[in-house]
């Protein structure tokens, strides 16, 4: 007897399910009919509906008696590493511990097994944060631990290779001409010439679907604003920090500074509204972190200083967001570090329900002491002819993706920049081998400016050349950060 078919299921899937058996957490075998009966019992008990379509099965959305719009952004969590033979009748009771479930979407295979991940939307942001707190790394079956992190439906696109003389209004109007649902355009002034932009912009859309449709419409080659071929990709999602953590922040993030503005100048300007409140300032290129002794002074200074001019530049001031080190390292080493990362762990694109590849660290073509170094996805190491008349466009290395870097040194520098940290500092040391050779090793310092933490990394092998020693030190640092060693403790 086949298990009762839910609305939207195909007859073929039911035939697969008739013959399918799955082991439950107690080591027993549960038939397809028993799976169906368990799901029907869950629907009867909770009053929630369940429908399967487009490769996912939706439980709820909305729940019984719900009135009004769906919960706001930030109420959904991503759940990974779910046993393939686990279904809603086991998952719902676990996730109800954190609060009322608005909707649970379990990604399904054609065979009837789940795809190992799901999205759970709660009715409030507080419930979603509690789910992350109590259920991340939760042992859902003996030896089986699930991962839970925030899920954000990305509504922002990165647009690169924009002419630097274009103003925000021009870019906004151009995007509205060819795409629908444009809400805003974010343009940052050039670090050295504030009358120009940086050659890229972020376009905010009213929904993830609108952004996804715009991304398809703007594929390079099909649309050339101002006669330029633009670059289009998903923007990095904004870091999400829980409200409790943000309530303790006493550091301000100040951007759009002049390159020439000094840390002493910034400190003096922020001390004007109340002398002696600034502990210290750390400036990097055209942005800085201003540390205060007390949070209330930081909040007051933010209100007073936002939009003020320092050395002729109108500055933007916000509370600095502390780095969630663990999720940040997981994103960049288990997933992909690129503007297309959809959420914290490089997890699925919500638009089509298909999972993005969790890129495994590929090996560099360079070997050090017989060992491959972990780094970015496979890099094409080729040269092409440079013909007279080819147009060249100045760009920042930080606007590129990881597959443009072939060395661990560059990879580490790129990663620190993406997290708004100070560049890695390399200190060279030497010793002499028994046969008189000079052997070298670098120690690497990683500083997180926002929360003032520091960590040192030094490999256990010595090299004969400076280049190899530096590359090995960067490899060693990346490996230890990926494995959540002391820096994440």
């Amino acid at each position: 007897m086949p298990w009762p078919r839910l609305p939207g299921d195909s007859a073929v899937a039911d035939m697969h399910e008739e013959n399918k058996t799955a082991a439950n957490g107690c080591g027993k075998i549960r038939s397809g009919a028993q799976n169906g009966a368990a799901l029907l019992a869950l629907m009867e008990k909770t009053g929630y509906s369940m429908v399967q379509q487009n490769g996912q099965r939706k439980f709820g959305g909305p729940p019984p008696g719900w009135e009004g719009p769906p919960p706001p952004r930030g109420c959904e969590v991503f759940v990974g590493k779910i046993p393939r033979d686990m279904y809603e009748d086991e998952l719902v009771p676990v996730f109800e511990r954190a609060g009322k479930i608005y909707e649970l979407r379990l990604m399904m295979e054609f065979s009837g097994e789940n795809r190992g991940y799901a999205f759970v939307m709660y009715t409030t942001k507080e419930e979603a944060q509690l789910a992350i707190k109590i259920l991340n790394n939760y042992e859902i079956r003996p030896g089986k631990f699930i991962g839970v992190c925030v899920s954000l439906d990305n509504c922002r696109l990165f647009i690169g290779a924009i002419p630097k003389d274009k103003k925000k209004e021009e870019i906004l109007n151009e995007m509205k001409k060819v795409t629908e649902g444009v809400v805003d355009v974010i343009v940052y002034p050039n670090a050295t010439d504030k009358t120009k932009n940086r050659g890229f912009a972020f376009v905010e859309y009213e929904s993830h679907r609108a952004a996804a449709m715009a991304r398809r419409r703007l594929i390079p080659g099909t649309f050339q604003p101002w006669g330029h071929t633009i670059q289009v990709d998903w923007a990095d999602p904004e870091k999400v920090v829980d409200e409790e953590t943000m309530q303790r922040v006493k550091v301000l993030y100040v951007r759009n500074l002049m390159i020439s503005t000094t840390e002493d100048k910034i400190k003096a300007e922020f001390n004007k509204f109340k002398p002696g409140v600034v502990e210290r300032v750390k400036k990097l290129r055209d942005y800085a972190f201003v540390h205060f002794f007390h949070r209330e002074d930081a909040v007051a200074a933010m209100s007073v200083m936002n939009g003020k001019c320092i050395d002729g530049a109108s500055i933007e001031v916000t509370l600095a967001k502390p780095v969630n080190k663990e999720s940040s390292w997981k994103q960049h080493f288990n997933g992909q570090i690129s503007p297309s990362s959809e959420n914290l762990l490089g997890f699925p694109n919500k638009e089509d329900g298909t999972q993005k590849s969790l890129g495994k660290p590929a090996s560099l073509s360079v070997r050090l002491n017989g060992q491959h170094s972990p780094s970015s996805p496979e890099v094409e190491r080729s040269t092409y002819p440079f013909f007279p008349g080819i147009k060249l466009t100045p760009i920042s290395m930080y606007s590129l993706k990881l597959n443009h870097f072939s060395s661990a040194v560059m990879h580490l520098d790129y990663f620190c920049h993406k997290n708004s940290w100070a560049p890695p500092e390399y200190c060279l040391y030497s010793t002499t081998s028994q046969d008189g050779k000079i052997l070298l090793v670098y120690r690497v310092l990683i500083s997180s400016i926002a929360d003032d933490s520091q960590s040192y990394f030094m490999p256990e092998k010595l090299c004969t050349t400076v280049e190899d020693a530096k590359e090995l030190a960067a490899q060693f640092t990346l490996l230890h950060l990926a494995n959540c060693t002391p820096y994440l403790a």
Side-chain angles (χ1 to χ4, degrees):
M1 171 183 173
W3 67 292
R5 179 144 46 101
L6 299 172
D9 283 352
S10 68
V12 177
D14 279 350
M15 287 190 292
H16 277 282
E17 200 60 39
E18 277 190 58
N19 301 317
K20 174 180 171 291
T21 59
N24 67 15
C26 300
K28 299 177 181 178
I29 300 298
R30 197 164 84 172
S31 68
Q34 289 172 320
N35 283 334
L39 294 177
L40 287 176
L42 175 66
M43 288 190 289
E44 291 174 3
K45 177 183 176 182
T46 61
Y48 281 63
S49 63
M50 196 180 297
V51 61
Q52 182 167 328
Q53 57 187 9
N54 299 329
Q56 59 182 338
R57 193 156 65 202
K58 292 175 62 177
F59 172 81
W66 180 270
E67 295 181 1
R73 202 162 180 254
C75 293
E76 188 173 69
V77 298
F78 174 86
V79 186
K81 298 187 288 185
I82 300 172
R84 296 300 184 98
D85 57 355
M86 179 173 284
Y87 303 99
E88 291 87 346
D89 59 301
E90 292 184 73
L91 292 171
V92 168
V94 171
F95 284 90
E96 280 182 333
R97 298 176 190 177
K100 184 176 179 62
I101 295 175
Y102 175 85
E103 175 185 87
L104 186 151
R105 294 184 293 119
L106 182 63
M107 303 299 125
M108 302 297 293
E109 298 281 12
F110 183 72
S111 65
E113 288 188 328
N114 76 64
R115 297 175 64 184
Y117 66 97
F119 296 91
V120 181
M121 182 179 289
Y122 289 92
T123 58
T124 67
K125 294 181 181 180
E126 290 74 21
E127 291 170 333
Q129 288 296 326
L130 180 60
I132 295 170
K133 185 175 181 179
I134 67 175
L135 296 176
N136 187 35
N137 292 322
Y138 174 75
E139 189 173 13
I140 201 161
R141 281 184 180 170
K144 301 293 183 180
F145 297 85
I146 57 173
V148 182
C149 67
V150 69
S151 167
L152 293 179
D153 48 342
N154 205 345
C155 300
R156 183 177 293 181
L157 295 182
F158 167 85
I159 311 294
I162 292 175
K164 293 187 177 182
D165 61 343
K166 300 302 175 185
K167 306 299 181 185
K168 175 178 178 175
E169 294 73 21
E170 295 177 271
I171 300 170
L172 179 62
N173 291 335
E174 196 69 23
M175 292 299 109
K176 284 184 173 180
K177 284 181 187 177
V178 294
T179 63
E180 297 180 357
V182 177
V183 175
D184 192 19
V185 169
I186 301 168
V187 182
Y188 296 116
N190 190 283
T192 56
D193 184 351
K194 299 300 181 183
T195 65
K196 296 181 179 180
N197 68 63
R198 295 192 180 186
F200 64 87
F202 297 97
V203 184
E204 189 80 23
Y205 288 86
E206 62 186 12
S207 66
H208 176 78
R209 180 173 181 79
M213 296 300 291
R215 181 169 175 262
R216 294 172 189 170
R217 173 71 178 86
L218 297 173
I219 292 173
T222 60
F223 172 60
Q224 293 187 326
W226 312 291
H228 285 248
T229 298
I230 59 173
Q231 301 168 358
V232 182
D233 214 329
W234 290 106
D236 280 329
E238 295 183 60
K239 293 184 177 71
V240 177
V241 183
D242 64 272
E243 192 171 338
E244 182 182 349
T245 300
M246 288 303 295
Q247 289 297 324
R248 300 194 297 268
V249 173
K250 54 182 181 178
V251 181
L252 296 182
Y253 174 57
V254 184
R255 68 178 309 147
N256 197 33
L257 292 161
M258 298 296 291
I259 296 292
S260 58
T261 300
T262 65
E263 292 179 352
D264 288 340
K265 174 71 171 181
I266 297 168
K267 185 173 183 178
E269 290 292 328
F270 275 81
N271 267 327
K272 279 183 179 179
F273 88 101
K274 188 176 179 182
V277 295
V278 177
E279 179 185 359
R280 66 187 182 283
V281 174
K282 181 64 178 180
K283 181 174 182 281
L284 292 167
R285 196 166 168 78
D286 63 340
Y287 64 93
F289 291 93
V290 182
H291 296 249
F292 287 77
F293 290 104
H294 304 291
R295 173 180 165 78
E296 56 269 25
D297 292 326
V299 174
M302 177 176 65
S303 177
V304 171
M305 295 299 294
N306 188 39
K308 294 287 186 180
C309 282
I310 297 180
D311 291 340
S314 178
I315 61 173
E316 296 177 26
V317 185
T318 59
L319 285 171
K321 291 185 177 181
V323 176
N324 182 335
K325 300 186 184 70
E326 182 175 357
S327 60
S328 186
W329 294 128
K330 285 179 180 177
Q331 173 187 352
H332 292 83
F333 290 95
N334 295 342
Q336 297 176 342
I337 175 171
S338 73
S340 62
S341 296
E342 282 280 317
N343 47 43
L344 283 179
L345 301 178
F347 285 137
N349 184 321
K350 295 181 59 177
E351 179 65 23
D352 52 19
T354 57
Q355 185 169 6
K356 289 185 175 182
S357 170
L358 297 181
K360 297 179 180 178
S363 296
L364 286 174
S365 57
V366 179
R367 281 179 177 266
L368 291 179
N369 297 329
Q371 295 183 336
H372 279 298
S373 65
S375 188
S376 56
E378 195 63 37
V379 179
E380 179 188 3
R381 305 293 293 274
S382 305
T383 58
Y384 293 82
F386 180 69
F387 297 108
I390 288 180
K391 186 176 180 180
L392 298 177
T393 303
I395 64 169
S396 165
M397 60 171 273
Y398 301 113
S399 68
L400 299 173
K401 296 184 180 180
L402 266 189
N403 60 359
H404 292 101
F405 300 99
S406 61
S407 78
V409 171
M410 296 298 291
H411 184 161
L412 184 58
D413 182 77
Y414 181 95
F415 182 75
C416 290
H417 178 85
K418 283 290 183 179
N419 281 282
S420 298
W421 299 341
E425 297 180 24
Y426 294 84
C427 298
L428 184 62
Y429 297 88
S430 69
T431 187
T432 305
S433 67
Q434 292 181 346
D435 57 359
K437 288 183 180 177
I438 295 178
L439 303 178
L440 307 169
V441 65
Y442 272 99
R443 185 177 71 165
V444 183
L445 168 65
I446 301 291
S447 298
S448 174
I449 299 169
D451 59 9
D452 201 33
S453 61
Q454 294 184 337
S455 287
Y456 295 92
F457 302 91
M458 182 181 286
E460 298 174 351
K461 293 188 177 181
L462 302 166
C463 298
T464 56
T465 69
V466 172
E467 294 83 358
D468 283 359
K470 193 168 187 178
E471 185 72 5
L472 182 62
Q475 292 172 23
F476 180 84
T477 303
L478 288 168
L479 274 174
H480 277 252
L481 294 175
N483 292 327
C484 301
T485 47
Y487 186 69
L488 304 181

